[in-house]
Amino acid sequence: MPIKKLLNDSIEECNQNINKENLVNRVMKTCSELKITIITNVTSNITQIPPWFNIYQNTETNFMQNLTKDTSEEIIRIQFNMMDKTIYKDHKKIFTDGSKTEEANSTSAAIFIKDKNITTMWKLPKETQVIEAELFAIKEALTHSYITNNKIKNSVIYTDSKSVHSIQNTNPKKYKNIIFEIHSIILSLMENKHKIMIQWIPAHKNIKGNEIADLAAKTAHNINETFNITKDISNVIKEIKNKSLKNWEEYLTNALNTKNYYLKNTSPQPWTRSKNRKLDTCITRIKTKHTRLKHHLHRIKIETDPFCRWCLNQEETVEHIFLHCPRFNSNRVVLLEALKKIKISNPNVKQLITGEDLPEDQKYYILRHTKIFLLKTKIIDII
Ligand SMILES: [Zn+2]
């Protein structure tokens, strides 16, 4: 077939799906099947910040010069107090923090208003990432009445989170919802002559306000009621993946258990391989009727006659060897006696080899004794 035609055909085949439901419908359907609720996103997919507006004037990630891991707590605290009393002298101050514990699979956030000595905390949906929790705390601080309804127009939000960097980004890849929300809040505060600064500070350096916010966020894991926030699309995707995988695993486990696949089946399995490969080969040869017995070899013109090597006037067939040949009489008696115990007399070869329609445990019993017969008589060496 010419490649061009092949290509056209496959394109046509693909286009059969053109009447399928659209992507949004399929996503909604999948989410409802997996019991994932999506709060419809009403914020725009683009930041409110105009190109001429410099968001860096509202954010500060520099804390002090030459700050390293070895900078002592004491120096950091002195630096903070100096900054707090000079640059942010006549400012309202809110400390924010977010927290996530992997063990308890819980996310939370808190704010601490220094002047009023008020802490507020939230337990957030467990799939919320820690950076989202930090951003959430900043957003809550910015919209707090302490900031919005106050004669003092200068405010500083202290955060120890790198989320300040994502606020500086006007085209973030993740957490767009909350970042754009923060952008528009800052813009509207600025329009109302507020001066807002989000200041990064180092964590766990014994800065009092920061420690209180940190403790409050950790305490918030124990709150019973979860505060619902708009789910970020990346979290929804993660949730869909996890739940689909879990569903599939449940389905698979269930299917494997109920259909008695060999994985979980502990009942006797007479038809699976035994440890003796020679015995398996022998049984397969009998089942497929391709043996090395003379009757068969004669038919394919390897042997000159089909007669039993011990009886001479009888054809050497499976039936003869199993049921009639006097050479194996004593062992045959043992086999037939054993079968009488489960009320089987005059068995034919098929019954001895397959157990036919008998219950599973009887099949197992029969095959076990047939195997003993084949081994004791050394028939396995001639079949
Ligand atoms: Zn014979």
Side-chain angles (χ1 to χ4, degrees):
M1 189 187 283
I3 289 175
K4 212 173 169 185
K5 167 127 174 53
L6 197 70
L7 188 70
N8 281 338
D9 281 1
S10 46
I11 289 172
E12 242 164 62
E13 215 176 281
C14 279
N15 283 346
Q16 282 180 357
N17 293 336
I18 212 155
N19 293 327
K20 250 187 175 176
E21 275 182 282
N22 67 38
L23 179 68
V24 175
N25 283 346
R26 278 182 283 149
V27 169
M28 299 308 281
K29 217 168 154 183
T30 307
C31 285
S32 83
E33 275 169 16
L34 297 174
K35 297 194 177 73
I36 295 171
T37 45
I38 303 182
I39 299 168
T40 317
N41 177 14
V42 287
T43 51
S44 64
N45 201 26
I46 187 165
T47 180
Q48 299 272 302
I49 292 179
W52 54 87
F53 185 89
N54 182 11
I55 187 73
Y56 286 83
Q57 68 184 324
N58 299 97
T59 49
E60 185 55 77
T61 50
N62 282 329
F63 175 72
M64 63 184 280
Q65 274 185 337
N66 307 324
L67 176 71
T68 66
K69 275 180 188 164
D70 302 322
T71 312
S72 75
E73 229 178 73
E74 189 59 29
I75 291 175
I76 286 174
R77 223 172 44 239
I78 291 168
Q79 171 68 22
F80 175 78
N81 287 334
M82 208 167 72
M83 182 180 79
D84 194 52
K85 287 191 171 76
T86 55
I87 308 173
Y88 300 122
K89 195 183 163 209
D90 298 312
H91 281 59
K92 293 171 285 179
K93 288 146 191 175
I94 301 188
F95 291 85
T96 66
D97 202 12
S99 166
K100 188 172 178 73
T101 62
E102 291 302 331
E103 319 87 64
N105 193 16
S106 164
T107 316
S108 60
I111 63 172
F112 169 60
I113 300 170
K114 201 182 164 191
D115 292 347
K116 308 222 163 205
N117 201 17
I118 296 172
T119 48
T120 314
M121 43 195 174
W122 299 265
K123 187 184 170 75
L124 302 175
K126 59 178 187 292
E127 63 274 7
T128 315
Q129 300 303 307
V130 68
I131 190 149
E132 283 181 284
E134 306 270 9
L135 290 164
F136 172 83
I138 293 170
K139 189 198 88 180
E140 288 299 319
L142 289 170
T143 48
H144 198 279
S145 56
Y146 175 63
I147 300 263
T148 51
N149 308 326
N150 204 307
K151 281 177 198 157
I152 306 165
K153 294 281 186 182
N154 294 332
S155 306
V156 59
I157 314 282
Y158 290 124
T159 173
D160 61 19
S161 155
K162 293 277 181 258
S163 63
V164 185
H165 288 291
S166 28
I167 295 172
Q168 289 172 338
N169 190 349
T170 50
N171 189 17
K173 285 204 168 67
K174 273 179 158 188
Y175 319 122
K176 281 186 185 186
N177 274 341
I178 190 143
I179 292 170
F180 292 165
E181 215 176 327
I182 289 171
H183 286 169
S184 56
I185 293 165
I186 292 174
L187 279 180
S188 79
L189 284 168
M190 298 280 284
E191 277 166 18
N192 289 310
K193 309 281 183 251
H194 283 274
K195 277 190 179 163
I196 296 291
M197 183 58 94
I198 300 168
Q199 169 71 53
W200 178 80
I201 54 169
H204 311 299
K205 296 294 175 192
N206 224 350
I207 296 168
K208 203 183 162 202
N210 180 253
E211 294 298 312
I212 293 171
D214 182 72
L215 189 69
K218 286 193 172 92
T219 312
H221 291 300
N222 303 321
I223 298 173
N224 286 329
E225 222 164 289
T226 304
F227 187 85
N228 259 329
I229 59 168
T230 310
K231 283 181 190 172
D232 189 82
I233 197 75
S234 60
N235 291 338
V236 175
I237 291 170
K238 218 182 272 175
E239 207 183 342
I240 290 174
K241 276 184 185 169
N242 286 343
K243 284 203 176 168
S244 300
L245 186 70
K246 211 175 143 212
N247 270 7
W248 165 245
E249 276 169 358
E250 263 171 30
Y251 170 82
L252 193 67
T253 317
N254 202 16
L256 288 176
N257 282 337
T258 51
K259 287 185 182 163
N260 281 331
Y261 282 100
Y262 64 91
L263 268 181
K264 291 271 179 180
N265 194 348
T266 50
S267 65
Q269 298 289 307
W271 323 119
T272 53
R273 282 191 218 165
S274 59
K275 279 176 189 160
N276 189 335
R277 158 131 181 100
K278 212 167 163 188
L279 197 58
D280 282 342
T281 312
C282 170
I283 286 166
T284 307
R285 281 180 181 162
I286 297 166
K287 278 183 188 166
T288 58
K289 297 192 171 76
H290 288 273
T291 66
R292 292 174 296 166
L293 295 177
K294 281 178 75 188
H295 175 73
H296 183 67
L297 296 182
H298 174 69
R299 221 175 46 192
I300 56 173
K301 298 191 172 64
I302 293 174
E303 277 283 349
T304 48
D305 68 86
F307 298 116
C308 176
R309 61 198 83 178
W310 297 284
C311 307
L312 298 174
N313 59 345
Q314 297 289 315
E315 286 188 341
E316 196 181 273
T317 59
V318 174
E319 278 75 20
H320 175 72
I321 295 291
F322 256 86
L323 305 174
H324 308 295
C325 188
R327 187 180 167 87
F328 309 115
N329 241 341
S330 58
N331 293 104
R332 190 177 297 116
V333 169
V334 176
L335 172 66
L336 295 178
E337 281 302 313
L339 296 192
K340 267 182 196 161
K341 284 183 186 161
I342 56 163
K343 297 189 173 106
I344 290 171
S345 47
N346 302 323
N348 57 35
V349 174
K350 201 181 169 195
Q351 255 177 333
L352 290 174
I353 289 297
T354 66
E356 274 191 323
D357 304 327
L358 294 164
E360 210 67 8
D361 55 334
Q362 290 194 12
K363 279 182 182 177
Y364 184 71
Y365 180 88
I366 295 171
L367 195 71
R368 191 156 58 89
H369 285 279
T370 304
K371 280 177 175 174
I372 293 169
F373 175 74
L374 290 170
L375 285 167
K376 287 265 165 82
T377 53
K378 297 201 170 69
I379 290 177
I380 54 168
D381 295 325
I382 61 163
I383 273 189

